[in-house]
Amino acid sequence: EAKRIEFPDNVIARLTGKDAKDACAYTSRIVEESRGSARWFPCLEAVAALLEHKNSLVRNRAIVILAANARWNREGKFDTLMDEFLRHVTDEKPITARQCIQALPEIAAAKPHLITRMRAALEGADLSAYRDSMRPLILKDIAVALDAMEGMRQ
């Protein structure tokens, strides 16, 4: 069966819909397909707008979809949204911060010229707003991400 093109409005509606189970499954499908083809890249800007969404679960979905699509970017679109993406290294929700930090090595592999910016965001992250129980987890994520980027060419 031929895969039909999904329009950004439909994609956004499903990613932000009330059915969290469907949105999560849809996100997983997009991420998996994005790692093998550029099919979802046309929705990049619409998905990037979700980084501003009030619901942290929606922001999480946007983060993993964007990371999976970084490899397809040829016109520098991803580079322009990188500052917004990196703001989520210290997202108000620690789970979203962790999701962002854990996504960075995938982006670094696709966009090695952005590693310096990513490293700076990780090394300068102010974690003081997080509960004591979350801070060590986020620090570990940062260490793992920095370590993963260590061997990548910039």
Side-chain angles (χ1 to χ4, degrees):
E1 123 199 25
K3 298 211 181 219
R4 70 187 197 339
I5 299 298
E6 302 206 33
F7 294 97
D9 293 354
N10 299 350
V11 173
I12 298 312
R14 281 195 69 189
L15 293 174
T16 59
K18 299 269 185 257
D19 185 346
K21 191 174 181 178
D22 175 67
C24 199
Y26 190 58
T27 299
S28 295
R29 185 181 122 208
I30 292 172
V31 167
E32 191 166 317
E33 290 178 8
S34 295
R35 290 188 173 134
S37 84
R39 173 173 183 242
W40 294 97
F41 189 76
C43 298
L44 183 83
E45 289 178 41
V47 172
L50 296 180
L51 290 172
E52 296 290 330
H53 202 276
K54 66 185 185 308
N55 183 325
S56 64
L57 295 175
V58 173
R59 293 195 304 273
N60 291 353
R61 293 176 198 133
I63 285 167
V64 297
I65 291 169
L66 292 170
N69 277 280
R71 71 194 74 217
W72 305 116
N73 179 27
R74 299 287 176 257
E75 317 80 40
K77 276 186 187 175
F78 202 89
D79 301 35
T80 60
L81 70 90
M82 200 62 208
D83 287 337
E84 174 59 32
F85 192 95
L86 290 172
R87 283 207 348 233
H88 296 282
V89 164
T90 54
D91 192 275
E92 64 179 322
K93 297 289 187 184
I95 301 303
T96 302
R98 295 191 70 200
Q99 194 84 58
C100 177
I101 293 162
Q102 291 168 10
L104 291 177
E106 183 172 15
I107 296 168
K111 301 279 171 204
H113 65 281
L114 296 174
I115 291 174
T116 303
R117 281 167 67 188
M118 290 185 239
R119 290 185 69 84
L122 292 172
E123 291 167 353
D126 177 4
L127 307 181
S128 61
Y130 300 117
R131 290 191 320 267
D132 290 347
S133 59
M134 287 306 294
R135 226 172 287 139
L137 297 172
I138 297 170
L139 280 169
K140 183 174 185 245
D141 290 335
I142 289 173
V144 167
L146 288 170
D147 192 48
M149 288 182 228
E150 194 58 45
M152 295 181 192
R153 295 165 62 78
Q154 299 180 40

